[in-house]
Amino acid sequence: MRESCEKLNNQAIELAMKGEYKEAIACFIRAISLENGNHLLWFNLGITYRDSGDLEAARAAIQKSLDIDPENEETVEALSTLCFNMGDLNSAMEYCLMGLDLNPFNSHFWNNIGVIYFNQEDYGDAEEAFEQAITINPYYYDALFNLKDTYEELGNATGVAECAKRLNSLNGKQT
């Protein structure tokens, strides 16, 4: 019976879900040896490296996925988040801006930009980015939560109260 990339990919995902990262990575590498130009295999390999704690290898694999499929928003978002988690805020911002070039209505990129600005203590730009995210998706809990924190930093009590009210309604609570 011949190996298939699909079977190896599925087997690797199952192994990774059980925390068996070394074995999962070996499956992905075997699948990639069969089909080197498959962006999904590279992406899944990168996510598995990330989950195993090897962020440098994760970044290289996910970048390879993006090189193969440069218009994949999910891949760009994963790279942005990974770079942020690695402390590389400049690259994280570059990937967010690349993502917005692909889709200016992707609320996740706007939220990620806001998080980067917030971490740089640039609360004015963070506010604008979070507001853009919730304008696109009024039910985006994380962006609304982040906007509330930003309003707190800016001393905007009215904004804090409005965000708290909306967050409570999203949680199904009565205000």
Side-chain angles (χ1 to χ4, degrees), residues 115-162:
V115 170
I116 293 166
Y117 282 136
F118 189 93
N119 277 272
Q120 295 172 331
E121 298 181 4
D122 182 349
Y123 302 118
D125 284 338
E127 173 188 32
E128 288 180 33
F130 294 135
E131 287 175 346
Q132 185 66 35
I134 64 168
T135 297
I136 294 167
N137 179 0
Y139 304 103
Y140 189 0
Y141 188 91
D142 290 349
L144 195 53
F145 186 90
N146 292 334
L147 181 59
K148 178 180 160 287
D149 284 351
T150 304
Y151 284 155
E152 286 174 356
E153 291 293 333
L154 293 170
N156 180 346
T158 304
V160 170
E162 181 59 31

Side-chain angles (χ1 to χ4, degrees), residues 6-25:
E6 184 179 351
K7 285 182 181 178
L8 287 165
N9 182 59
N10 292 340
Q11 181 181 2
I13 290 169
E14 287 178 26
L15 289 165
M17 288 173 45
K18 293 190 267 183
E20 297 175 16
Y21 300 118
K22 185 176 179 182
E23 295 83 357
I25 289 166

Side-chain angles (χ1 to χ4, degrees), residues 9 19 45 55 57-58 60 63 68 87 102 118 120 149 160 168 174:
N9 182 59
L45 174 63
L55 301 185
Q63 181 61 58
I68 294 167
L102 294 172
F118 189 93
Q120 295 172 331
D149 284 351
V160 170
N168 284 335
Q174 297 295 322

Side-chain angles (χ1 to χ4, degrees), residues 5-173:
C5 292
E6 184 179 351
K7 285 182 181 178
L8 287 165
N9 182 59
N10 292 340
Q11 181 181 2
I13 290 169
E14 287 178 26
L15 289 165
M17 288 173 45
K18 293 190 267 183
E20 297 175 16
Y21 300 118
K22 185 176 179 182
E23 295 83 357
I25 289 166
C27 278
F28 283 127
I29 289 172
R30 177 68 185 135
I32 288 168
S33 75
L34 298 173
E35 198 173 311
N36 191 49
N38 185 322
H39 76 93
L40 183 60
L41 293 173
W42 284 102
F43 181 82
N44 289 342
L45 174 63
I47 297 302
T48 303
Y49 274 129
R50 180 202 66 196
D51 292 349
S52 76
D54 189 344
L55 301 185
E56 290 296 335
R59 186 173 179 176
I62 297 171
Q63 181 61 58
K64 177 69 174 175
S65 176
L66 184 63
D67 292 344
I68 294 167
D69 183 7
E71 295 189 11
N72 189 304
E73 289 178 51
E74 182 180 7
T75 305
V76 176
E77 187 177 340
L79 277 166
S80 171
T81 302
L82 184 61
C83 288
F84 177 82
N85 291 334
M86 294 173 75
D88 185 354
L89 301 184
N90 289 333
S91 292
M93 181 64 84
E94 287 177 25
Y95 286 117
C96 284
L97 296 174
M98 177 189 300
L100 288 175
D101 282 343
L102 294 172
N103 179 3
F105 300 105
N106 183 317
S107 59
H108 291 261
F109 290 123
W110 286 108
N111 183 64
N112 289 353
I113 288 171
V115 170
I116 293 166
Y117 282 136
F118 189 93
N119 277 272
Q120 295 172 331
E121 298 181 4
D122 182 349
Y123 302 118
D125 284 338
E127 173 188 32
E128 288 180 33
F130 294 135
E131 287 175 346
Q132 185 66 35
I134 64 168
T135 297
I136 294 167
N137 179 0
Y139 304 103
Y140 189 0
Y141 188 91
D142 290 349
L144 195 53
F145 186 90
N146 292 334
L147 181 59
K148 178 180 160 287
D149 284 351
T150 304
Y151 284 155
E152 286 174 356
E153 291 293 333
L154 293 170
N156 180 346
T158 304
V160 170
E162 181 59 31
C163 286
K165 179 179 169 185
R166 289 178 65 188
L167 286 165
N168 284 335
S169 74
L170 289 177
N171 281 329
K173 298 177 183 175

